[in-house]
Amino acid sequence: MSEADLKRFFLEQVRLFESFPAGKVEEIVARSRMATFEGNEAILETGDEGRYIGVVVSGHAEISITDNTGTRSVISELGAGDVFGVMSLLTGDRIIADVIAGNRCFVLMIPREVFEACILTNPKGVAYLSRLLAERSRAMSVDLATAQSRAIARADDPYALSLGTSTPGKVLVLNVGISQIHFGIYDTRDLGSDIHGIIDNIDEDVARISVAVGPHVRTMERARFPLSELFAVMQAATGLLGDAFAFHPQEVSAVGHRVVHGGSRFSSAAVITPAVIADIEALSVFAPLHNPVNVQGIREAMRQLPGVPHVAVFDTAFHQTLPPYAYLYGLPYDLYKQGGIRRYGFHGTSHRYVSLKAAEVLKRPLGELEIVSCHLGIGASLCAIDHGRSVDTTMGMTPADGLIMPSRSGSVDPAVMIHLLQNCGMSPEQFSNLINTEGGMKGISGLSGDIHEIEAAASEGHHRALLAHKAFCYQVRKNIGACVAAMGGIDVLAFTGDVGETSAAVRSLACQGLGYMGIRLDEEKNRNLGKVNACNVISAADSPVTILVIANDDERLVAWETLRAIERNDLTVAMKEGHPEAPIPIEVSAHHVHLSQADVEKLFGPGHQLTPEHELSQPGQFACSEKVHLVGPKGRIANMRVLGPTRKETQVEIAMTEQFKVGIQPPIRQSGDLANTPGVTLEGPYGSTTLERGVICAQRHIHMAPEDALRFRVRDNYVVRVRVGGDREMIFGDVVVRVNPAYRLAMHIDTDEGNAANIRTGMIGYIEEIQSRH
């Protein structure tokens, strides 16, 4: 087919391009590539990342899904002029169906960047694709959530944990501390040449520097130096590894900075601006030993590299999803409201990575897992990660709280501090040094905070070393149980950090006695683990809970967060430039019930069908004339509205203020995510039904059709911050985006959230920024 014939074909036979001018079609064809596929050859496969949409030029193919039994269901037959591969590019999910050639096919493969630049800018083209997506979704033999779960299971890198990018460059990571500076250099095109460096300034006279690429380590010493010479020192040190690894600032495309405390202000990594620096400095009151030196490192790096983006990656950000009852201390409420005194948690980047890596290893969606992450290193903390959200953690307002650690005391009765200050003549500075550098296993053993020195001494019968080791392991084990209780279950127990990765004894003792929770360690695997690869499984074959050891690389995680933050920032800028102040209608959702047909008949009688009373904003959804009473351990809520149509499983949605009334504590979850949720009794005019599970507090969310998501530059499961005007303007964080062809644009909050902000149905919100990309 000649170029002229190809152009005519697209203009006359491809419905997608009916509204496109000839010049635009010519540009699309010129920037795409023609590919040939033989009969039965896969054109796209489930689990692949969506990089193209395809247009069949000749031949025929089919879109199909294979279920768990291996049975293949055909969704759509494709012939000349038909389009495929659209859903993945519109939603951002992995490809959820196979596209298989029926005979020899010629296909024009249109790359993502051409799709976004040339097709998504045409409103009629977007409307056509949205209709096509809706038709194919209805034709699927399984629901979208099930198909997406299967796609994740078959994907190589479902959570984009790789640092690879299409743009060449190096990401520099700086972790500037009081006595040490850690740095990392990551080439986004050569993923096997990571450089790690440590500048040790503990000695007042000499700086000891080590750099490494893989197993190759080089060291040097020099006189202590001011921070203004940092880049020169990094260049000299990396030069010891050879010219190929020498650090050249002009190659840096982005800089990531680890910042210890982000307070309540930062729920994700942030591209650094003067305002961000000011916020970090203001938060130094909570981290006086860390934030000021973090800022010094930021200022020096920005002076040396003014032309590249700099990103602050906060230890605390991941934990901003903690509910108030988990982060509040038992102090007067005004101390929290006015002074910000609350639990913030730390090691957030590590805990987040552990959750994603665990989901990748298990080949299950993160949104259906309950994970206990144990970061055991110089600092130690546990985190309860419920379906992707941190819901509790052991560290508090500062990293000194929580577990006994190598040299930090962990939680101490506040009266101990008062006693030492008043009766023992200890100054506040001395007490701070006691709990931060002289406590923990070091303080109990009187020897060291190094776990291997402790274990060696314990092996020789050193009483205090034995006691220190036992106390540490006991606290880890006890807090694993607390995390499981916080979530109501556990699927994964993961260890990371220097201690978590290298001490088989700690892992073993932490798991002992937890068999009744389904935590069963394979002692031989654990004992013989040796050096951890990216991730190792050490649970017994019959263990209901998967036990993992995950390699921790703090600097690499900061680089990963840096790249994600820059992407989010670029998307936010593009969104605001393309559609400034694009409005989103807000709806306040009162408590309600979705019923299965089986429960409809238990409550209203055999064969009963729900009676629509009026339509809701989401297509196909309606309020019913039927109502039920909800009965909990403590009380009841009468006449709860039933919404239709029926669902596979009954779900009850209530606000937090109603939880106390009925005596249950449901988690914050997305609709349909019911694992390990509490149950309740429902009463109807015919009878009652007792649910074993199904009560949630709905996470605030935005429904979007694909064309809405394209306008806002977001995808399914993105989390955004939404500004709402009114009597008192406020910003809602942690708002999840749900994209589906059947949805109509609307943000849903519950009655508690509406009352707190004086928001009424019909008000308008605006997306301020993309908070995270799941």
Side-chain angles (χ1 to χ4, degrees), residues 162-185:
S162 167
L163 296 181
T165 67
S166 58
T167 304
K170 293 185 178 179
V171 181
L172 170 64
V173 172
L174 293 175
N175 178 4
V176 179
I178 300 170
S179 59
Q180 286 188 334
I181 297 173
H182 291 248
F183 65 89
I185 303 167

Side-chain angles (χ1 to χ4, degrees), residues 567-595:
E567 290 174 356
R568 291 196 306 269
N569 188 68
D570 290 346
L571 288 168
T572 299
V573 169
M575 174 186 67
K576 291 186 175 181
E577 287 178 348
H579 297 276
E581 295 293 281
I584 299 172
I586 296 176
E587 299 175 355
V588 180
S589 178
H591 57 228
H592 58 269
V593 180
H594 300 275
L595 294 174

